[in-house]
Amino acid sequence: MAKDKKMVEAITSMEEDFAQWYTDVVKKADLIDYTSVKGCMAIKPAGYAIWENIQHELDRRFKETGVENVYMPMLIPESLLQKEKDHVEGFAPEVAWVTHGGLEPLQERLCIRPTSETLFCDFYAKEIQSHRDLPKVYNQWCSVMRWEKTTRPFLRSREFLWQEGHTAHATAEEAEERTIQMLNLYADFCEQVLAIPVIKGRKTDKEKFAGAEATYTIESLMHDGKALQSGTSHNFGDGFAKAFGIQYTDKENKLQYVHQTSWGMTTRMIGALIMVHGDDSGLKLPPRIAPVQAVIIPIQQRKEGVLEKAAELEAALKAAGIRVKTDATDKSPGFKFAEQEMRGIPVRIECGPKDIEANQAVVARRDTGEKIVVALPELAEKVTEILNTIQNDMLERARTHRDAHTYTATTYEEFVKTINEKPGFIKAMWCGDQACEDKIKEDTAATSRCIPFNQEHLADTCVCCGKPATKMVYWGKAY
Amino acid sequence: MAKDKKMVEAITSMEEDFAQWYTDVVKKADLIDYTSVKGCMAIKPAGYAIWENIQHELDRRFKETGVENVYMPMLIPESLLQKEKDHVEGFAPEVAWVTHGGLEPLQERLCIRPTSETLFCDFYAKEIQSHRDLPKVYNQWCSVMRWEKTTRPFLRSREFLWQEGHTAHATAEEAEERTIQMLNLYADFCEQVLAIPVIKGRKTDKEKFAGAEATYTIESLMHDGKALQSGTSHNFGDGFAKAFGIQYTDKENKLQYVHQTSWGMTTRMIGALIMVHGDDSGLKLPPRIAPVQAVIIPIQQRKEGVLEKAAELEAALKAAGIRVKTDATDKSPGFKFAEQEMRGIPVRIECGPKDIEANQAVVARRDTGEKIVVALPELAEKVTEILNTIQNDMLERARTHRDAHTYTATTYEEFVKTINEKPGFIKAMWCGDQACEDKIKEDTAATSRCIPFNQEHLADTCVCCGKPATKMVYWGKAY
C-alpha cells in the first residue's frame, strides 16, 4: 500500500520547483499528453471533462444574457487580416499560414485564426443594414492557433480552445455596457465556480488588445505569486466598423457606424485551477467544476456485501444530484486514495465491512484531509453539505493567499525590492506614462496587470518617475 | 400582409429546381451565410442551434455507451499522415498545408486534419501498454478541413463540424462489436430524433474509408431521390496498429496489436433535415431537434391583455418542457407566419382578443398546415401531444417517400432506365466485382450505396455482368 501510494505521488514538491510540479500534475493527473505536433497538446478525458464543465457553465450564463452561438471559418485570407492596422500588427507575426490546398499553391495565403475579429467584421458588414438588425450578440466555441515560441500545457500552447464573443451595437454606451457585463460574468464565474478570486480592471494602453479602444481584464494570482490574465473583454469603439465598413441606418434614416466588443476565456483556466488550488498530492478541483465530485472506495471489497453497499450508496448520491463514481478496480485502497488525491476529486468515501456494521462511512475532504464519519442514511445530505463547504473554503483560502501576497510600494526602491523578494501583486501609483511601464518591465520583468476598478490612493506620485500619479495599478510577474 | 408574406416566401419551388430551392432555404431560413473564404460557411444562430441539439443528443447517447471526450491537435505533421499507406493516398490530395509559422518557414509541412486517425494512433501508441489500458473509447467534437473543388452549404464544404470517435480494443471481435454498436446508435438517432429513416449496411471495397478493413454506413434518401451517406463506422482491424506500432501485453504477457475503429457524423445532417423534410414554404424541423418547438404569435397584440396572455401561455408551455418563444415584434402576423414556416418551427400558436374571449388558441402544424383549436387550460398538454404526433408523422412520411422511391432492377436495361427516369434507390444483385461498380458509375453516375444488412434475393445473377450474384446492393446517385 505504501509502495502504491508512492508510485502515484512521485511528483516534484511545489516549494522545490513550481514549474516542474505543475508539469508533473498535468501529466500525473492525466489531464494531457504531449504530441508529435510541437506546442500542441492532446487533452485527455480527465482534462477535457473539466473543459466541458467550464463550457457548460459559461454557455448557460452567456445565453441568459442573450448570447447566440455561431460558427465562423477557421481560416482568414491575408487581405482580410490586414484590414485593421493595429490588429494585423499584433497578430501577423504569430499566425500559421496555409499556402497550399491539396496539390495546388493558393493564390492568396490564409492564416489559421488566432482570433476572429476580422471574420466577424466581414460577416457583420453584410448582415447589418438597419438599426433593427442590432444588437448582434454572437459567440463561438472553437480552437485558435498562435505560433508561440515557448509553450506550456494549458497556459500557453500554439493551439488552444476558447470561446470568443463578438458583438455589434448601435451606440458607444451599449457597447461599453456589454463589455463590462461580460467582464463581470467572467469574474462571477471564476469566483463562484472555479473558486478563483479575481481583480477586475482595465489594461493600460501598452497591454491592451491589438485594435481595441479599451481592454478590461480579470487577473488572478497563482500559488507561486505569479499573475494570470484570466479573461478579457474588449471595447473596440467604431475602429473595426470603420475599417470594415459596418454601417446601419438609424431611426432617422442616417448612416451610422456600429460599436463593437469582443471577449474570451480559454483552456488556460484549467492551468489556473491547477496553480491556484493544487498541492504536493496533485490537483484539487472545486466541487462545482469537478467532473467527479465524490469517489466511493470500497474497503476489503471482496467481502460479502461491500460492493452491494457501495452500489447502493452510489445510487443514493446520484439521486441527490452528486457526480459520483465507485472505484471497484482491483487496485489497492492506498493506490486508489492516492489516485483520487492526484486527480483532485473533492471527496472520497471509504466504506468497508466494519463501517457497514456500524452503519457509517468515512468521508475524506481532498482540500483539508479532514475525515468525517457519517451515518449512512444521512450520507447524500452530508456529502452535499461538505461539497458546499469545500467550494466556499477553497475560494476563501485562495482569497486569503492572494491578499497575503498583495503588497504596496510607494518608492521605486521598495517596489524593486518587493518584486524581487516577495512574489505576488504589488499595488503602486502610476503617472500614466508608458515609459514607466517599459522601465519597470526592463528592471524587474513585472508588467502592469490592470488599473483596478477599486482604486486606492497610496501616494501622490508615480512609483517609477515621481511625477504626479493618475492611477493605482496592480503590477506583477505574469504567466 | 400579403406583401410581407411574399417577401419571405420568395424561394424557388423544389419541383422547379431542387438545387436552387435548397440554396434558397439555407439562406432564407437564416442557417448560414457565405464568407470571404471560398468553400467555408458562416453558420448563423438558427443553423448552429440545430447543431447544438445534434451534439447534445449524440453526446448523451455516446456517453451512455462509455465514450469519453478528448481533444487532439488540429495539425498533422506530413510524416505522421504518411504512416498508413492507403490512408495517405486517400487524403493527401485534399488537405490544406501549413508551411509557415509566424515569419518562419516550417521544417516539416503540417496539414489541417481532414480526419484524425493518425493523431489518435500516435497518441494510443504512447498511452497503451497493457490489456488494463483497454478498451479506449474516445471521441472528439471539432472541425476538419478537406480541400473540395465544388462545395455546397452543409453537404460538402471545405471546413465542416463533426464528431470523430476513435477506439482501440484487445480483440477483433470487440472492435467489430463497437463498430456495429455505433452504426446502430447513429441509425436510432437519425430515426428517433431527426425523423430520417436509414438503410444500414456495409460499403463495398471501392467505397470504403481509406485505410479501413470494413466501412459500415447509414444511407438516407432525400426528397429529390438522391442518396445521402449520413454516418459511417469503420473497422480498421489491426492495420493502423501495425503501421503505428500500437501494442499491448495481454494477460499471458504476450505482445498483441490492438484492433481499432472510428466513426463520425457531421453538420451535413443539417442538409439532410432540409432535403428530407422541407417544402416550398421552407424548412420543416422535427420537434425533437427543433431549437424552437413552438412560437406564440399574438394577434392584434396592441389590444389590452393580448401580450399578457401570450406571456402567461409561454410560461405554461415552458413549465411543460416545451422550447417556446413569443414573437412580439412589430412585424405583421402574416409576416410572422411566413417566417415561422420558413424557419421550420413545428408549431405556431395564434392567440388574439377573440381567442382570449373564447378561452382558446389556434395551434397550426408546420408539417401539415392543419389548424387545431385548443382550450387554453389544456394548451401545454395538447401542444406536447401535437409535437409527438408531428415527430412520428414526419418519420412515417419520410419512410413512405423513401419506400415509394425504392425500385428493383434485375436486368441492366431496366437498371439504366430506372436510374434515368426514376430518381431513388435501386436494389439490384451484384457479383462482387469492382468492374461492375465502375461500369455502372460510368454509364449512369450511380454508385453502390451499401450492401444492406437486410438482404433480399432478387435474382441469381449480377445486374451488370450477368455472372452469379453474391449480394444485393442499394444503388443510387448521391450527394
Side-chain angles (χ1 to χ4, degrees):
Chain A
M1 200 159 133
K3 192 181 150 213
D4 283 343
K5 202 164 180 192
K6 216 175 142 196
M7 260 180 57
V8 184
E9 281 193 0
I11 62 171
T12 308
S13 138
M14 60 199 296
E15 297 306 324
E16 199 177 294
D17 183 345
F18 193 79
Q20 187 58 48
W21 167 84
Y22 176 80
T23 309
D24 287 355
V25 172
V26 161
K27 283 281 294 173
K28 293 275 171 96
D30 241 4
L31 302 179
I32 68 124
D33 204 350
Y34 297 95
T35 68
S36 300
V37 193
K38 197 177 165 295
C40 295
M41 56 188 172
I43 308 181
K44 296 169 73 171
Y48 198 79
I50 300 173
W51 182 239
E52 286 184 302
N53 283 354
I54 291 176
Q55 285 190 301
H56 180 76
E57 286 285 339
L58 275 182
D59 201 65
R60 186 173 59 72
R61 284 156 200 253
F62 289 165
K63 283 177 177 156
E64 279 169 12
T65 74
V67 172
E68 297 182 289
N69 285 337
V70 298
Y71 188 78
M72 295 290 148
M74 70 152 83
L75 298 177
I76 306 173
E78 188 163 18
S79 55
L80 199 61
L81 189 70
Q82 287 171 339
K83 276 200 172 180
E84 209 286 335
K85 195 179 61 66
D86 292 337
H87 191 69
V88 66
E89 270 177 27
F91 283 104
E94 59 171 39
V95 295
W97 290 105
V98 174
T99 58
H100 286 71
L103 308 172
E104 319 261 310
L106 300 179
Q107 295 199 322
E108 182 184 13
R109 299 200 296 177
L110 305 163
C111 77
I112 299 177
R113 62 182 161 219
T115 179
S116 304
E117 275 72 14
T118 53
L119 291 162
F120 274 88
C121 285
D122 192 39
F123 174 73
Y124 283 148
K126 285 190 292 179
E127 292 285 319
I128 296 168
Q129 267 104 42
S130 145
H131 63 93
R132 285 167 191 264
D133 299 325
L134 296 172
K136 294 282 187 210
V137 186
Y138 289 172
N139 174 65
Q140 73 177 358
W141 292 94
C142 63
S143 71
V144 290
M145 175 102 19
R146 298 178 186 176
W147 216 253
E148 306 276 0
K149 293 224 163 62
T150 50
T151 61
R152 300 187 66 189
F154 296 121
L155 299 176
R156 195 170 291 279
S157 48
R158 285 187 172 171
E159 182 183 10
F160 59 87
L161 303 179
W162 79 346
Q163 59 66 220
E164 45 177 328
H166 296 269
T167 72
H169 305 270
T171 65
E173 293 68 36
E174 215 186 279
E176 179 68 7
E177 206 176 283
R178 174 57 73 169
T179 314
I180 298 299
Q181 178 182 28
M182 300 318 286
L183 190 81
N184 286 331
L185 188 154
Y186 286 145
D188 289 348
F189 167 77
C190 280
E191 303 208 342
Q192 290 164 19
V193 181
L194 306 184
I196 296 177
V198 297
I199 305 289
K200 292 191 268 191
R202 182 174 169 156
K203 286 282 185 193
T204 62
D205 282 352
K206 176 180 162 73
E207 298 290 333
K208 75 182 181 188
F209 183 81
E213 213 164 69
T215 288
Y216 299 97
T217 180
I218 49 173
E219 299 283 325
S220 57
L221 196 71
M222 304 298 102
H223 188 84
D224 65 344
K226 278 171 101 170
L228 190 78
Q229 177 180 304
S230 300
T232 47
S233 188
H234 315 292
N235 187 342
F236 292 123
D238 56 8
F240 275 92
K242 284 181 172 158
F244 285 81
I246 315 174
Q247 286 184 292
Y248 70 97
T249 50
D250 67 13
K251 285 177 188 163
E252 281 75 43
N253 222 25
K254 270 192 245 161
L255 262 186
Q256 305 280 3
Y257 284 106
V258 300
H259 292 75
Q260 291 173 273
T261 83
S262 83
W263 24 274
M265 189 169 267
T266 80
T267 32
R268 90 180 327 202
M269 293 320 290
I270 300 174
L273 284 169
I274 300 168
M275 293 196 296
V276 168
H277 300 302
D279 64 17
D280 284 348
S281 301
L283 192 59
K284 262 189 206 175
L285 289 172
R288 283 198 198 122
I289 206 68
V292 179
Q293 297 175 311
V295 60
I296 298 171
I297 299 181
I299 311 295
Q300 296 183 277
Q301 63 185 31
R302 287 199 194 93
K303 291 241 166 116
E304 204 191 320
V306 174
L307 285 179
E308 288 75 3
K309 182 55 83 177
E312 192 187 297
L313 296 177
E314 184 181 317
L317 294 184
K318 266 196 185 135
I322 297 164
R323 297 189 288 269
V324 60
K325 283 204 170 162
T326 299
D327 188 348
T329 57
D330 59 4
K331 299 167 195 163
S332 74
F335 190 92
K336 292 177 188 177
F337 291 5
E339 212 168 48
Q340 168 253 329
E341 287 173 2
M342 184 60 69
R343 287 168 171 265
I345 298 169
V347 146
R348 173 177 84 223
I349 298 160
E350 309 163 17
C351 189
K354 281 182 193 157
D355 299 302
I356 295 172
E357 214 180 290
N359 203 29
Q360 66 180 38
V362 177
V363 179
R365 282 174 63 163
R366 170 65 183 94
D367 64 327
T368 57
E370 188 189 350
K371 290 189 168 200
I372 306 149
V373 176
V374 176
L376 290 188
E378 291 165 20
L379 190 66
E381 190 192 333
K382 280 284 176 195
V383 169
T384 303
E385 219 176 278
I386 292 168
L387 289 172
N388 282 333
T389 306
I390 294 175
Q391 182 78 32
N392 295 335
D393 288 1
M394 286 180 78
L395 175 61
E396 275 323 299
R397 218 172 290 127
R399 200 191 302 278
T400 302
H401 178 271
R402 196 234 2 231
D403 292 349
H405 293 81
T406 300
Y407 307 97
T408 57
T410 50
T411 68
Y412 199 60
E413 196 191 344
E414 189 185 8
F415 186 93
V416 175
K417 191 173 150 67
T418 308
I419 281 279
N420 288 337
E421 293 173 9
K422 298 177 176 173
F425 283 133
I426 305 191
K427 297 189 281 189
M429 303 307 287
W430 177 54
C431 59
D433 194 341
Q434 194 180 312
C436 289
E437 284 180 276
D438 292 340
K439 179 172 163 55
I440 285 174
K441 191 171 181 186
E442 175 86 24
D443 291 349
T444 68
T447 50
S448 69
R449 303 315 309 152
C450 70
I451 307 163
F453 293 157
N454 286 333
Q455 283 287 310
E456 296 167 54
H457 183 81
L458 305 172
D460 294 328
T461 54
C462 174
V463 76
C464 182
C465 67
K467 286 185 199 146
T470 56
K471 296 281 176 201
M472 182 191 84
V473 167
Y474 272 84
W475 306 83
K477 294 183 188 171
Y479 279 98
Chain B
M1 197 160 133
K3 193 183 149 210
D4 282 346
K5 200 162 181 192
K6 214 174 143 198
M7 261 179 59
V8 183
E9 281 192 0
I11 64 171
T12 308
S13 139
M14 61 199 295
E15 297 306 324
E16 200 177 290
D17 182 345
F18 193 80
Q20 188 57 47
W21 168 83
Y22 176 80
T23 309
D24 287 353
V25 172
V26 161
K27 283 280 294 173
K28 293 276 171 96
D30 240 5
L31 302 179
I32 69 126
D33 204 349
Y34 296 96
T35 67
S36 301
V37 194
K38 198 176 164 294
C40 296
M41 57 190 171
I43 308 181
K44 295 168 75 170
Y48 199 80
I50 300 173
W51 182 239
E52 284 183 302
N53 283 353
I54 291 176
Q55 286 190 301
H56 180 76
E57 285 285 340
L58 275 180
D59 201 65
R60 185 173 60 73
R61 285 157 200 253
F62 288 165
K63 284 178 177 157
E64 280 170 10
T65 75
V67 172
E68 296 181 291
N69 285 337
V70 298
Y71 188 79
M72 294 291 149
M74 70 150 83
L75 297 177
I76 308 173
E78 187 163 17
S79 55
L80 198 61
L81 188 70
Q82 286 171 339
K83 276 201 172 180
E84 210 286 336
K85 194 179 63 63
D86 292 336
H87 190 70
V88 66
E89 271 178 26
F91 283 103
E94 58 173 41
V95 295
W97 291 104
V98 174
T99 58
H100 288 70
L103 308 172
E104 319 260 310
L106 300 179
Q107 294 199 324
E108 183 185 11
R109 297 201 296 177
L110 306 162
C111 77
I112 299 178
R113 63 184 161 218
T115 179
S116 304
E117 276 73 14
T118 52
L119 291 162
F120 274 88
C121 285
D122 191 41
F123 174 73
Y124 284 148
K126 285 188 293 179
E127 292 285 319
I128 297 168
Q129 267 106 41
S130 145
H131 63 93
R132 286 166 191 265
D133 299 326
L134 295 173
K136 293 281 186 210
V137 187
Y138 289 172
N139 174 66
Q140 73 177 358
W141 292 94
C142 64
S143 71
V144 289
M145 175 103 17
R146 296 179 187 176
W147 215 253
E148 306 277 0
K149 293 225 163 61
T150 50
T151 60
R152 300 187 65 190
F154 295 121
L155 299 176
R156 195 170 291 278
S157 48
R158 285 187 172 170
E159 182 183 10
F160 59 87
L161 303 180
W162 77 347
Q163 58 66 220
E164 46 177 327
H166 296 269
T167 73
H169 306 271
T171 66
E173 293 68 36
E174 214 187 280
E176 179 67 8
E177 207 175 282
R178 174 58 72 168
T179 314
I180 299 297
Q181 178 182 28
M182 299 318 285
L183 190 80
N184 286 332
L185 188 154
Y186 287 146
D188 290 348
F189 166 76
C190 280
E191 303 207 343
Q192 290 164 20
V193 180
L194 306 185
I196 296 176
V198 297
I199 306 290
K200 291 191 269 193
R202 182 174 167 155
K203 286 283 185 192
T204 61
D205 282 353
K206 177 182 161 72
E207 298 290 334
K208 76 182 183 189
F209 182 82
E213 213 165 68
T215 288
Y216 299 98
T217 180
I218 49 172
E219 299 283 327
S220 57
L221 197 69
M222 304 298 102
H223 189 84
D224 64 345
K226 279 171 101 169
L228 189 80
Q229 177 179 304
S230 301
T232 49
S233 188
H234 316 291
N235 187 340
F236 293 122
D238 58 7
F240 274 93
K242 284 181 173 158
F244 284 82
I246 314 174
Q247 288 185 291
Y248 69 97
T249 50
D250 67 13
K251 285 175 186 164
E252 281 76 45
N253 221 24
K254 270 192 245 163
L255 263 186
Q256 305 281 3
Y257 285 105
V258 300
H259 291 75
Q260 291 173 272
T261 83
S262 82
W263 23 275
M265 189 169 266
T266 79
T267 31
R268 90 180 326 203
M269 294 318 291
I270 299 174
L273 284 168
I274 300 168
M275 293 197 296
V276 168
H277 300 302
D279 63 16
D280 283 348
S281 301
L283 192 60
K284 262 188 207 174
L285 289 172
R288 280 195 202 127
I289 206 68
V292 179
Q293 298 175 309
V295 60
I296 298 171
I297 299 181
I299 311 295
Q300 296 183 276
Q301 64 185 27
R302 287 200 195 95
K303 290 239 166 121
E304 203 191 322
V306 174
L307 285 178
E308 288 75 4
K309 182 54 84 175
E312 192 186 296
L313 297 177
E314 184 182 315
L317 294 183
K318 266 197 185 135
I322 297 164
R323 297 190 287 270
V324 59
K325 282 203 173 164
T326 300
D327 187 348
T329 56
D330 59 4
K331 300 167 194 162
S332 75
F335 190 92
K336 292 178 187 176
F337 290 6
E339 211 168 49
Q340 167 254 330
E341 287 174 3
M342 183 60 69
R343 287 169 170 263
I345 298 169
V347 146
R348 173 178 82 223
I349 298 160
E350 308 163 18
C351 191
K354 282 183 194 158
D355 299 301
I356 294 172
E357 213 181 290
N359 204 28
Q360 67 181 37
V362 177
V363 179
R365 282 175 63 166
R366 170 66 182 92
D367 64 328
T368 57
E370 189 189 353
K371 289 190 168 197
I372 306 149
V373 175
V374 175
L376 291 187
E378 291 165 22
L379 190 66
E381 190 192 333
K382 280 286 175 192
V383 168
T384 303
E385 219 177 278
I386 292 167
L387 289 171
N388 282 332
T389 307
I390 294 175
Q391 183 78 31
N392 295 336
D393 288 0
M394 287 180 77
L395 175 60
E396 274 325 299
R397 218 171 291 128
R399 202 192 300 279
T400 303
H401 178 270
R402 193 227 14 224
D403 292 349
H405 294 80
T406 301
Y407 308 97
T408 58
T410 51
T411 69
Y412 198 60
E413 197 192 344
E414 191 185 7
F415 185 94
V416 174
K417 192 171 148 68
T418 307
I419 281 280
N420 288 336
E421 294 173 9
K422 297 176 177 169
F425 282 133
I426 306 189
K427 298 188 282 188
M429 303 307 288
W430 178 54
C431 59
D433 195 340
Q434 194 180 313
C436 289
E437 284 181 274
D438 291 341
K439 180 172 162 53
I440 285 173
K441 190 171 181 184
E442 174 86 26
D443 291 350
T444 69
T447 51
S448 69
R449 302 316 309 153
C450 70
I451 306 163
F453 293 157
N454 286 333
Q455 282 287 309
E456 296 167 53
H457 183 82
L458 304 173
D460 294 329
T461 54
C462 175
V463 76
C464 182
C465 67
K467 287 186 197 144
T470 57
K471 297 282 177 201
M472 183 191 83
V473 168
Y474 272 83
W475 306 84
K477 294 182 189 172
Y479 279 99

